[in-house]
Amino acid sequence: MSVDGIAFVYRQLGPEDGVPLILLIHLAGNLDNWDPRVVDGLAARRRVITFGNRGVGGSGGATPDTIEGMARDAVRFIRTLGFDQVDVFGLSLGGFIAQVIAEEEPRLVRKVILAGTGPAGGPGIDKVPALAVQGTIKGALTRQDPKLSLFFTDTASGRRAGRALLRRLKERTDNRDKDISLPSLRAQLKAVKRWGRQAPSDLSAIRQPVLVANGENDRMVPSQNTLDLATRLPRSELVPLYPDSGHGGIFQNHEDFVARALSFLES
Amino acid sequence: MSVDGIAFVYRQLGPEDGVPLILLIHLAGNLDNWDPRVVDGLAARRRVITFGNRGVGGSGGATPDTIEGMARDAVRFIRTLGFDQVDVFGLSLGGFIAQVIAEEEPRLVRKVILAGTGPAGGPGIDKVPALAVQGTIKGALTRQDPKLSLFFTDTASGRRAGRALLRRLKERTDNRDKDISLPSLRAQLKAVKRWGRQAPSDLSAIRQPVLVANGENDRMVPSQNTLDLATRLPRSELVPLYPDSGHGGIFQNHEDFVARALSFLES
């Protein structure tokens, strides 16, 4: 689809009516980084749209190096699809973007789901780029997918859950999205660092109902950020932090998460 | 073997007499990063010793963050083995170390082979850490071994040679070396950057015969560094730069390289 002359890739699943749920993926992620159990689970009852933001995966243009710029692009994408009310669900970097969209577009956004994410200026968020780079290098040295160490706990069940997710992410064999480019990733890393170093945001400006979820051992966006969101957002609902789970907690516990997300969206 | 109370891993191949050839591996490399065709080819006629320097792979201790420190550790290792005369063969980072050893230990070192390397302060060398990190991240995003883009040209024969090397590096199945740790890699990256930013070294202080080799398209340690070594080293012999080859040129052209190295060592 063309947004201001730039081609955006997206996928639409589920029923063709109802308030659409717009999914915002994590750092370095493309359309294929969403756990199919989560997307299909949500799409069983909701219209679900995953998309590549500007410069990400198969989407054209240059990725902005601020969360605010990414939020503006996402809003343009949503409006170009013709929607005047949506729900947004952001994971990690996607959750930063979702917060900005919710605050800046109170009429466009009905409900919000935030997973593995935190507020601007949240503790440890400016370290996410360094952790991601380190994890990637360590993964290369040990010939292991970096997601295993970055998204999952280093326990028997964490490792099992990580390997299971890696298998699920390979289930789609046709029409896969393009990998993110190095310049786009660099812009994202810069944006994340800035978000982490920003003055703490006034979360009371987000008036929508927000469901907040994460693993209790998130070493990327430390889990205390999730608790901080739940505390400071005026209309929040906290999914009890998933035990023995990290940044990928909603994937590791997809059945529980999908059930809670659907009931939140439909309540 | 214990060097000053620290366990060093090493492998010895080939005849048990003659001047031993000490191999110094590249950034992030361990014992298993030597092309078996090169090591076995040399060991067919020379006593060959590969080892893990301090903190690298299975060797204990903390990796120093200077080339000079690494050279001192290598000399201690060589002396602990009981040798008072050796040949040294350094690839990339190993070539930096080999230059320092040759200069500082004129009586210990008989002949030197330098591949894919350059003098202190050589153009582009301070960019090696950034290129290595970028290549590793790009490799993770595209699920490709970073060595393919960092060591080989992006041509049909370069890609074929890269895949062939990756297969050869997997030939050994028993008693493989440990992967390098992140702190050791970080120290190496720092040392390489420093070497690249150092004042140009006075290569006339290296009096030994030196064989210099590389691909003509080395994008890690730019090939002009190889030509500069050949020009400024008083007793150098240049292997004509290998066409359509990069940083891994001596692996890509292992037959030719091994033959030339043996004849250089035996002349």
Side-chain angles (χ1 to χ4, degrees):
Chain A
M1 194 193 54
S2 174
V3 180
D4 298 341
I6 290 169
F8 273 49
V9 294
Y10 73 104
R11 291 179 190 148
Q12 188 164 187
L13 298 93
E16 302 212 342
D17 55 0
V19 178
L21 177 64
I22 310 292
L23 270 56
L24 297 147
I25 190 68
H26 60 72
L27 186 69
N30 65 11
L31 295 177
D32 299 316
N33 285 94
W34 283 109
D35 185 348
R37 294 302 170 280
V38 167
V39 173
D40 295 345
L42 295 169
R45 299 225 304 258
R46 312 292 304 176
R47 183 177 188 171
V48 171
I49 294 171
T50 60
F51 79 108
N53 214 341
R54 189 145 65 97
V56 176
S59 289
T63 297
D65 58 8
T66 62
I67 301 299
E68 292 70 20
M70 295 173 186
R72 278 192 295 274
D73 289 331
V75 168
R76 276 190 209 111
F77 166 78
I78 292 165
R79 293 210 189 277
T80 306
L81 281 177
F83 300 126
D84 49 22
Q85 191 174 49
V86 297
D87 297 326
V88 293
F89 162 25
L91 171 58
S92 191
L93 165 68
F96 306 154
I97 302 170
Q99 291 171 62
V100 176
I101 301 175
E103 179 173 346
E104 296 196 348
E105 303 285 345
R107 277 190 305 251
L108 180 64
V109 178
R110 189 186 70 125
K111 293 187 176 184
V112 182
I113 303 174
L114 299 176
T117 195
I125 295 178
D126 65 334
K127 302 282 184 302
V128 166
L131 282 173
V133 169
Q134 274 167 36
T136 304
I137 293 172
K138 181 142 192 159
L141 295 175
T142 56
R143 284 161 300 280
Q144 270 221 332
D145 193 301
K147 197 166 260 176
L148 293 176
S149 70
L150 295 173
F151 278 55
F152 295 90
T153 52
D154 189 18
T155 63
S157 72
R159 286 187 294 268
R160 200 164 45 235
R163 287 190 299 266
L165 175 66
L166 294 181
R167 279 193 300 273
R168 297 201 295 276
L169 294 181
K170 284 180 193 151
E171 284 176 1
R172 171 187 283 268
T173 53
D174 66 311
N175 192 26
R176 287 183 70 93
D177 194 6
K178 273 180 61 175
D179 298 312
I180 193 171
S181 71
L182 216 47
S184 291
L185 174 61
R186 216 177 277 131
Q188 288 186 336
L189 292 171
K190 198 167 175 181
V192 169
K193 200 172 201 175
R194 282 184 170 163
W195 179 260
R197 295 192 172 169
Q198 234 163 271
S201 42
D202 175 15
L203 295 174
S204 70
I206 298 177
R207 306 299 181 126
Q208 298 93 335
V210 184
L211 182 72
V212 187
N214 203 3
E216 69 180 6
N217 310 108
D218 189 337
R219 53 182 291 266
M220 288 286 275
V221 179
S223 306
Q224 64 186 112
N225 285 288
T226 303
L227 301 176
D228 184 37
L229 286 171
T231 307
R232 292 200 289 128
L233 285 163
R235 297 177 65 194
S236 74
E237 181 184 324
L238 174 68
V239 177
L241 294 182
Y242 291 116
D244 197 9
S245 300
H247 199 52
I250 61 162
F251 294 161
Q252 180 164 351
N253 306 274
H254 55 83
E255 272 189 59
D256 181 85
F257 172 72
V258 166
R260 286 178 190 266
L262 287 173
S263 110
F264 165 77
L265 294 171
E266 293 170 352
S267 69
Chain B
M1 196 193 54
S2 174
V3 179
D4 297 341
I6 291 169
F8 273 47
V9 294
Y10 72 105
R11 291 179 190 147
Q12 188 165 188
L13 299 93
E16 302 211 341
D17 55 1
V19 178
L21 176 64
I22 309 292
L23 270 55
L24 296 147
I25 191 66
H26 60 71
L27 187 70
N30 64 13
L31 295 177
D32 299 315
N33 285 94
W34 283 108
D35 185 348
R37 293 302 170 280
V38 167
V39 173
D40 294 345
L42 295 170
R45 301 225 303 257
R46 311 293 304 176
R47 182 176 188 171
V48 170
I49 294 170
T50 60
F51 78 108
N53 215 340
R54 189 146 63 99
V56 176
S59 289
T63 297
D65 58 7
T66 62
I67 301 299
E68 291 71 20
M70 294 171 186
R72 277 191 295 273
D73 289 332
V75 169
R76 274 190 211 111
F77 167 77
I78 292 165
R79 294 209 188 277
T80 305
L81 281 178
F83 300 125
D84 49 23
Q85 190 176 47
V86 298
D87 298 326
V88 294
F89 163 24
L91 171 59
S92 191
L93 165 68
F96 306 155
I97 302 169
Q99 291 171 62
V100 175
I101 300 176
E103 181 175 343
E104 297 196 347
E105 303 286 345
R107 276 190 305 252
L108 180 64
V109 178
R110 188 187 68 125
K111 294 187 176 185
V112 182
I113 302 174
L114 300 176
T117 194
I125 295 178
D126 64 334
K127 303 282 184 303
V128 166
L131 281 172
V133 169
Q134 275 167 35
T136 304
I137 293 171
K138 181 140 194 164
L141 295 174
T142 57
R143 285 162 298 282
Q144 272 220 330
D145 193 300
K147 198 166 258 179
L148 293 177
S149 70
L150 295 173
F151 278 56
F152 295 91
T153 52
D154 189 18
T155 62
S157 71
R159 287 188 292 270
R160 200 162 47 234
R163 288 190 299 267
L165 175 66
L166 295 181
R167 279 193 300 275
R168 296 200 296 275
L169 294 181
K170 284 179 195 152
E171 284 176 2
R172 171 187 283 268
T173 52
D174 66 311
N175 191 26
R176 287 184 69 93
D177 195 7
K178 271 182 62 177
D179 298 312
I180 193 171
S181 71
L182 217 47
S184 291
L185 175 60
R186 217 177 276 129
Q188 288 186 337
L189 292 171
K190 199 167 175 184
V192 169
K193 202 174 201 173
R194 282 183 170 164
W195 180 260
R197 295 192 172 167
Q198 234 163 274
S201 42
D202 175 14
L203 296 175
S204 70
I206 298 177
R207 305 300 180 123
Q208 298 93 335
V210 184
L211 182 72
V212 187
N214 202 2
E216 68 180 7
N217 311 109
D218 189 337
R219 53 181 292 266
M220 289 287 276
V221 178
S223 306
Q224 62 187 113
N225 286 289
T226 304
L227 301 177
D228 185 35
L229 286 172
T231 306
R232 292 200 289 127
L233 285 164
R235 296 178 66 194
S236 75
E237 181 183 325
L238 174 68
V239 176
L241 294 182
Y242 291 115
D244 196 9
S245 300
H247 200 52
I250 60 162
F251 294 160
Q252 181 165 350
N253 306 273
H254 54 83
E255 273 190 58
D256 181 84
F257 172 72
V258 166
R260 286 178 190 267
L262 287 175
S263 111
F264 165 77
L265 293 172
E266 293 170 352
S267 69

